[in-house]
Structure formats: structure tokens, C-alpha cells
Amino acid sequence: MYAFIKKEFFHIFRDYRSMLILFGMPVVQVLLFGFAITTDINDAKIAILDQSKDPITREITQKMLSSKYFILEQNLQSNNQIEAAFQSGNIKEVVVFEHGFAEKLQRDGKVDVQLILDASEPNTANMLSAYSSGIINTYSLQQMMAANKIPVSIQTESMMLYNPELKSVYMFVPGVITILLMLVSAMMTSISITREKEMGTMEALLVSPLKPLQIIIGKVTPYVLLSFINLIVILLLARFVFGMPTQGSMTLLLLESILFIIMSLALGILISTVSKTQQQAMLLSMFALMLPTILLSGFIFPIENMPIILQWISHVMPSKWFIIIIKNIMLKGVGIAYFWKETLIILFTTLFFIAMSVKKFKVRLE
Amino acid sequence: MSVPVNIQNISKSYEKVEALKAVSLNIKAGELFGFIGPDGAGKTSLFRILTGLILPDSGTASVAEMDVLKDFKKVRNITGYMPGRFSLYYDLTVAENLNFYASIFKTSLKENYDLIKDIYVQIEPFSNRKAGDLSGGMKQKLALSCALIHRPKLLILDEPTTGVDAVSRKEFWELLDKMQQGGITILVSTPYMDEASLCNRVALMQSGNVLSVDTPSNITARYKGQLFAVKTNKMHNLVTALEQVPAATQVYRFGDEVHVTSFHENDTVFVGLLSDALKEKGHLDIQINKKQAVIEDCFLALMDKNQAI
């Protein structure tokens, strides 16, 4: 048994490709999701058409530019330049102050700022518009307070719980952990088992007195350890590179992860029993695990917005339940009482997959 | 110590191919038994059935009186099996491979060192080299060591000499001889006919049938007709020229000669017939010699008969 595990470690450490998948991928994925695929907007280029040029417009402009969201790309002189500014490409928003802005504000107590947005990227446009309105509203509120006028309009004040700054990292980290644990565990075990089939060494293992369960345990133990190391790496990256804290119990998080890792490994063995070659195993893991995990687990696209059928399918994705669990622990900091149902679901799936794979793992060829 | 192997009416088909057609064989304890035949003869299927890796469609087989279907675990414990592809881990070193195989059979290299010593001394200088970097002959010796590490009573070797150079092949057979003296029953398959004479008995196999089972000398002694080897200055159309001689049967290229079998009662007359026919076709330097049939001649003759049926 010990010799088997040792042998498996030799395989992993001597194959630079599996090392790369094992340790390179987690880091690259976390960094990619964290930095590149972010929905936060920083430094959007904007243009300003200030037809009034009074202290108030200048002050609002100043406020906008001093936020980290906007960079002034261009000062426009007239309305007909707006179209050209957008067409030139990199301008996402134009802020238009009308003539006699400050005077109108004094006289009517009410004035309009026009925001024109490039909606060829709808999400960006939405967010920029929200940021700008936010800044302008805050300004006007401050002014009225200063003038001792009580604002007439009712303001909604939203409080963002658990992720006050709406950082997308908070959303991605649980998803990335899920994908990586699943991928590393399932794909690597299924590949390593099918490799023995391809090389003909499985024939020799089968004629040995080893029991199927011993072969399976020998195969998966190294990957349990490596996946666990991966998990720690991701959590450290999340903590120190993106400043994402874990609110809840770390022990609980690790225990839940181990459960999920074991489930993925069992799935990997199941895949290896139905595939004949390494390529087949890899493709199966990719399409059967990766894509549904990314698309249907609620990692990127909210499950509530999916058609009913897809919502049903998402219920059988173990990754969906695991994402719920880690989000609960990492962001809300709640205990097992709040997600024992999800844990039970994963536990049952794990037992199911283990039973299936031990049953399907053949003592004979064919 | 050594064990007999008994095979009764074993049949096995894959989708459309009939790999084994009711094969029956009795292998005595301590025998070095050869399975000779081309690819697709059914040798590998038979070995896999004996090791319990595949199930036969019908028939039974036993090793040391233990049924290979019911008692496959016990059979595996006393069997050393070397699959057709050397089942080594190419990314592990020689020593690591050996230790691994020793440990999965719950034994150690030290414990059984005396058994594999003869082979292992030859590969020991490379014990830190990866198995994938070894030459064919070395891989084969390592695989044999791995198959022997748990002191099996029955050794099953599937084409151990395929793809191995002539010198290594010779050394390998010497090793088999030594192990047989140590009391192990050995089943070995090979596509090389010249290796047949090194076995105690051989089974000639073709497309799932056993054509003949006997000692190599009995098989060659039973060769019907008289064999002649022919050589001329125009080897390329010699076969065609000889096939046109009515008395000549079983004409085929054999090394740098052409073998012809005669059923004529008088050899001198037959030689005369051949050389006249060849001279007519413009062949010069004609040499025609009587030859003792070897296993390959017997095999080809049996194959002709088998296909005719």
C-alpha cells in the first residue's frame, strides 16, 4: 500500500506536465479570475462637455475624477463632438453639463446632468452610470445639508452585506476553488488510471494479489494530499493577494473541502472505468465536469435567471452545493447549522460515486 | 513444487473474431512449453484466460488443479505473468520497478534475490536508470525479474522475445532453461519458429486452432515428403519457376533459399526434373540439396492443410 502511494508520487513528480497542471493551474486561474476577469471597473475613460464652466460643475467634475473609477480623456466643446468622441473608441462615458448650470440650480433648486454611455458593453455602461449617479447624488446631498435644507426626495440607502465593496473576487474565489478541486482530483486520477491501462501495467496490477479497493486507494491518496495543498494555496492567494478574508471557521472549510475532494476523486475513478485512453479520460473530465461546473453551478451565471430545466439540472451538480457551502463559510461566516442540508447532499453523492466506482472497477480486462 | 496446467475446450470470441476454437491442452508440471504461431493465433487470449484477466465463452482451465475461473485469486498468487507489452513503469528506475512489484506481492527484493540473481546481475549496473531508457533486451530482463519476484510456480510469458535482438534472445532462453531447472512450469509464446526447438513441447497454433502438440523433434520427424533447398543465380523469379513444376509442392522462400517438398518416390529423378525446368527458364548455378525439415517447414505445411479444410 505504502509502496503504491510512493510509486504514484514518483509518477507525478517526474512528469512535468502533471506538475504544471497540479500547481501551475491553480495559481494562474486564481490570478486570472481575480485580475483579468473582473467585473469591477477602474479607470474608465470619460469625456466632459461643460457648457457652463462654473464653480459647481468644476467641483462635480473634480469629485468624479478623484474617484478611482474615472479618468478624463477629453474636454469637449460642443454637442456635435460627442458622437465623434465615442467613435474614436476608448471613451466609455460623456458627462454633459447644461448652460448656466449653477444659476439654474440657484433659481430652480433643480438641474439636470446628462450622462451618455457607450452601451456596446452593457454591463460596463450600467455600472458606470451607477457610479456617476452615485457621485453626483452624494454631492447634491452634501450641498443641501450644508445649506441646511432638508432634502425633499426620499433616498434609498443600500447596504451591501458580506461584500460591502462588491468585489468580484469574493464571487470568484469560491467558484475557482470548486473548479480546481474538481478538475485536479477528477481529471488527474482518471488520467493516471487510464495511463496504466494504456501502458499495459494495469494487466500486471490486476494479476497481482492487490484488491481493487487497494489499487483505488493507492491511486487516489496522493491526489487527496495534492488537492489539499492546492486548496491552501488558493486560500492564501485569496487572502494575501486579493484581501479576501475567511469569516467562518477554517476547520469547517477544510473539512467540507476534503469531502468534496473525495467526491471528485470517486468521480474520476468512475470516469476512468469507462474510458480506454488518457485522451478520452481528459476530454470526458473536461466536458462532463468542467463546463457544467463553470456554467451551471451558479459560479458565473446566477441560477435564478436560468430556464427552469437548467435550474433542475443545476440541482444535480454537486459543485453548486459546494459553492453555496464555501460562500456561507467564507463570506457569511456561519456554521454548519446553516448548510447541513448541502453537506448531506454532497456526502450522499460521494458515497454513491464510491460505491459505483468500486463496483465498476474491473478485476479483469475488457 | 511445480504445477501442471490443464486446458479443456476453451473457446473465446471477440465481436466477430473467433480467437480460440475449443482448445484443449495438457501441460505437465515442470515443462517448458511453447506456443508457436503468428499474430492472431490466439496465444495472448489463452494466456489472459489462464491468468483470469478475461473469461472464456466456454470450457474450463485449471492451474495446479485450481479452476482459473473460481479460484483466480489463488491462481494469481502462484503465477508470474509477463504481458506482451513489458508492463514496466517507464518513469520509474529499474530498482524502483522491482521494489514496487515485490511490494505488491508482499515480498521484497532481498527475500527473493537468489531467485532472480542470474538475471538481475545483468541489469544491476543500470539500477538507477529509468526503465524507459533501457534497451529492448534490458527491458525484457527487468520485466522477467518483476514477474519472478514473488517466486511463482507457473511462469507465463507472452512473446517475451518480440522486438529483442538476437543475442539477447539467446541469453533469454538460457535464463528460461535455468529457471525450468529450478522447478517452475513455464508457458511461453513466440512468433519465432526457431525458438520452438528450445522448448520441451510446443503447440503450433493458427487462428484459434491448435494444429499440433508434440516435442519439436517429433514434429519435424513427422514431416511428410522430402524437403529440398534450391538456390540459383536468379532468386527473384525462382519461386514462380518452381511452382510451374507439377511434382513440386509447398514452394516458398526460406531465408536465402527456396524450399520445395517432393512426394516423388525417387529423389534423383525429382532433382533432375527441377534442374531441367530451371535450365529451360535460363537459371544458372543451380544448387539443389536435400534438407531436414525444421519447425517452420512443418508449421507452413500444417497451415496449408488447415486452410484447405
Side-chain angles (χ1 to χ4, degrees):
Chain A
M1 203 66 222
Y2 163 73
F4 204 120
I5 296 171
K6 199 172 84 179
K7 175 211 99 172
E8 207 55 41
F9 270 116
F10 281 145
H11 286 323
I12 299 166
F13 291 133
R14 289 192 187 158
D15 180 11
Y16 68 96
R17 274 182 309 177
S18 47
M19 284 292 280
L20 207 67
I21 296 184
L22 270 172
F23 296 106
M25 206 170 61
V27 177
V28 171
Q29 282 226 21
V30 172
L31 294 180
L32 256 179
F33 277 117
F35 282 123
I37 314 174
T38 167
T39 48
D40 303 342
I41 294 163
N42 292 321
D43 302 337
K45 293 191 172 125
I46 59 165
I48 289 177
L49 172 54
D50 191 347
Q51 293 161 326
S52 175
K53 294 202 173 64
D54 56 50
I56 293 179
T57 63
R58 250 175 257 140
E59 206 170 334
I60 293 176
T61 309
Q62 206 50 50
K63 285 256 186 237
M64 285 185 73
L65 297 181
S66 58
S67 76
K68 66 185 168 106
Y69 306 120
F70 303 106
I71 284 182
L72 182 63
E73 176 80 6
Q74 211 179 338
N75 267 311
L76 303 179
Q77 304 309 323
S78 73
N79 271 321
N80 16 358
Q81 283 179 316
I82 295 174
E83 185 77 30
F86 278 118
Q87 280 166 353
S88 77
N90 42 18
I91 285 174
K92 303 281 180 221
E93 183 184 84
V94 174
V95 183
V96 184
F97 297 103
E98 58 186 304
H99 279 292
F101 191 87
E103 288 156 34
K104 201 172 171 194
L105 189 63
Q106 291 288 327
R107 195 176 62 230
D108 303 346
K110 185 169 171 285
V111 75
D112 293 326
V113 181
Q114 192 184 15
L115 301 176
I116 305 170
L117 291 129
D118 175 2
S120 57
E121 289 168 53
N123 284 333
T124 314
N126 261 329
M127 289 183 86
L128 286 181
S129 141
Y131 288 154
S132 314
S133 320
I135 293 169
I136 295 167
N137 283 339
T138 315
Y139 173 79
S140 70
L141 208 66
Q142 282 169 350
Q143 291 303 304
M144 288 185 205
M145 297 292 234
N148 270 331
K149 276 187 211 160
I150 298 153
V152 203
S153 57
I154 298 167
Q155 301 281 326
T156 58
E157 192 179 318
S158 347
M159 194 166 127
M160 299 296 184
L161 282 177
Y162 311 126
N163 183 3
E165 294 166 71
L166 293 177
K167 281 192 186 169
S168 53
V169 171
Y170 285 24
M171 188 178 119
F172 283 123
V173 168
V176 172
I177 292 178
T178 313
I179 287 187
L180 284 174
L181 291 187
M182 191 130 191
L183 198 73
V184 168
S185 316
M187 190 152 101
M188 297 304 286
T189 37
S190 62
I191 288 179
S192 87
I193 292 179
T194 41
R195 181 171 54 201
E196 302 239 5
K197 283 194 200 170
E198 263 183 56
M199 296 291 292
T201 44
M202 194 50 107
E203 240 174 296
L205 289 184
L206 289 178
V207 296
S208 77
L210 284 178
K211 293 185 185 70
L213 194 64
Q214 284 176 306
I215 299 183
I216 289 179
I217 293 177
K219 277 267 154 206
V220 302
T221 314
Y223 293 103
V224 173
L225 288 174
L226 293 173
S227 305
F228 196 71
I229 295 174
N230 260 328
L231 173 70
I232 308 277
V233 170
I234 301 171
L235 288 177
L236 287 177
L237 276 177
R239 178 78 186 82
F240 293 106
V241 180
F242 300 109
M244 177 181 181
T246 302
Q247 304 287 357
S249 149
M250 188 53 100
T251 331
L252 191 59
L253 179 63
L254 295 183
L255 284 176
E256 293 275 359
S257 305
I258 290 174
L259 180 65
F260 186 70
I261 289 172
I262 293 173
M263 191 220 66
S264 312
L265 291 170
L267 202 57
I269 297 163
L270 204 58
I271 290 176
S272 73
T273 59
V274 294
S275 39
K276 284 204 173 68
T277 62
Q278 291 184 57
Q279 257 119 351
Q280 215 181 339
M282 193 150 102
L283 286 177
L284 253 175
S285 330
M286 283 286 225
F287 288 108
L289 302 180
M290 269 285 270
L291 290 181
T293 306
I294 295 179
L295 301 176
L296 294 177
S297 64
F299 164 28
I300 293 179
F301 308 110
I303 293 172
E304 296 77 26
N305 297 353
M306 291 177 193
I308 297 288
I309 295 178
L310 287 183
Q311 288 195 30
W312 285 342
I313 297 177
S314 79
H315 289 322
V316 296
M317 298 270 125
S319 41
K320 173 196 157 177
W321 307 109
F322 185 63
I323 289 185
I324 295 178
I325 293 173
I326 12 185
K327 276 190 176 164
N328 269 315
I329 301 177
M330 291 188 77
L331 301 178
K332 297 190 186 164
V334 292
I336 185 91
Y338 292 85
F339 45 80
W340 59 272
K341 270 189 227 154
E342 284 83 357
T343 311
L344 265 186
I345 293 176
I346 296 187
L347 190 68
F348 280 126
T349 349
T350 310
L351 293 178
F352 173 72
F353 282 141
I354 291 179
M356 282 281 283
S357 51
V358 171
K359 193 164 160 269
K360 286 206 76 180
F361 192 85
K362 297 176 193 93
V363 251
R364 304 179 196 274
L365 287 178
E366 295 166 46
Chain B
M1 177 67 190
S2 53
V3 295
V5 178
N6 197 310
I7 298 164
Q8 292 273 332
N9 286 318
I10 292 272
S11 294
K12 175 76 190 173
S13 313
Y14 302 104
E15 286 166 29
K16 280 176 190 156
V17 194
E18 255 190 287
L20 292 170
K21 298 169 189 161
V23 170
S24 295
L25 283 170
N26 277 305
I27 293 137
K28 292 177 214 137
E31 222 176 354
L32 172 51
F33 194 94
F35 290 83
I36 319 287
D39 290 346
K43 297 168 292 180
T44 302
S45 298
L46 190 58
F47 284 179
R48 285 184 171 169
I49 288 172
L50 288 178
T51 46
L53 281 171
I54 56 174
L55 298 172
D57 297 339
S58 62
T60 55
S62 68
V63 174
E65 327 278 274
M66 291 183 290
D67 192 287
V68 295
L69 302 180
K70 288 182 213 122
D71 294 324
F72 72 93
K73 280 183 185 152
K74 283 187 203 155
V75 172
R76 285 174 181 185
N77 268 323
I78 59 161
T79 308
Y81 173 51
M82 186 171 146
R85 291 170 294 170
F86 306 129
S87 58
L88 301 167
Y89 293 99
Y90 285 177
D91 51 346
L92 299 189
T93 65
V94 170
E96 283 161 358
N97 265 294
L98 261 177
N99 283 322
F100 173 68
Y101 278 105
S103 64
I104 61 172
F105 281 96
K106 301 192 175 71
T107 174
S108 68
L109 183 53
K110 264 185 210 144
E111 221 171 293
N112 291 324
Y113 188 75
D114 59 300
L115 190 72
I116 58 159
K117 200 181 76 193
D118 292 332
I119 319 167
Y120 194 54
V121 284
Q122 299 180 32
I123 45 174
E124 203 157 21
F126 310 104
S127 62
N128 283 323
R129 192 182 287 189
K130 294 213 175 114
D133 299 335
L134 293 175
S135 68
M138 289 291 170
K139 273 184 200 155
Q140 169 212 44
K141 280 171 197 157
L142 175 57
L144 181 63
S145 309
C146 292
L148 275 174
I149 194 88
H150 60 292
R151 276 184 195 280
K153 293 174 180 161
L154 169 68
L155 189 59
I156 299 182
L157 309 168
D158 194 2
E159 302 204 356
T161 51
T162 302
V164 172
D165 65 276
V167 179
S168 301
R169 271 167 61 187
K170 194 168 157 285
E171 286 174 0
F172 190 77
W173 279 93
E174 283 162 11
L175 288 170
L176 290 190
D177 212 42
K178 248 185 211 167
M179 283 183 294
Q180 191 200 3
Q181 284 160 22
I184 301 177
T185 309
I186 302 174
L187 309 187
V188 57
S189 73
T190 176
Y192 300 119
M193 307 282 169
D194 54 326
E195 291 178 345
S197 56
L198 304 167
C199 303
N200 296 135
R201 284 200 302 156
V202 292
L204 301 185
M205 288 186 78
Q206 193 210 2
S207 43
N209 289 309
V210 175
L211 306 178
S212 176
V213 187
D214 215 328
T215 60
S217 52
N218 278 348
I219 288 182
T220 49
R222 268 191 282 136
Y223 191 75
K224 292 194 180 68
Q226 177 56 52
L227 189 70
F228 288 91
V230 186
K231 253 177 141 173
T232 70
N233 66 333
K234 292 204 282 188
M235 291 304 283
H236 58 278
N237 55 11
L238 185 54
V239 172
T240 352
L242 286 172
E243 273 173 341
Q244 286 162 3
V245 182
T249 53
Q250 293 168 33
V251 181
Y252 48 81
R253 196 78 193 247
F254 194 98
D256 57 352
E257 302 166 328
V258 170
H259 279 189
V260 183
T261 301
S262 150
F263 289 100
H264 204 280
E265 60 271 22
N266 190 325
D267 291 345
T268 334
V269 177
F270 180 74
V271 172
L273 277 174
L274 285 191
S275 52
D276 287 349
L278 291 177
K279 273 176 198 154
E280 211 173 284
K281 296 256 152 101
H283 287 260
L284 295 170
D285 307 332
I286 302 168
Q287 299 174 34
I288 303 174
N289 297 310
K290 264 195 185 182
K291 248 290 160 58
Q292 180 64 47
V294 294
I295 294 284
E296 186 162 353
D297 298 304
C298 303
F299 190 84
L300 290 167
L302 286 167
M303 237 171 80
D304 271 358
K305 232 165 67 188
N306 186 40
Q307 270 159 359
I309 298 165

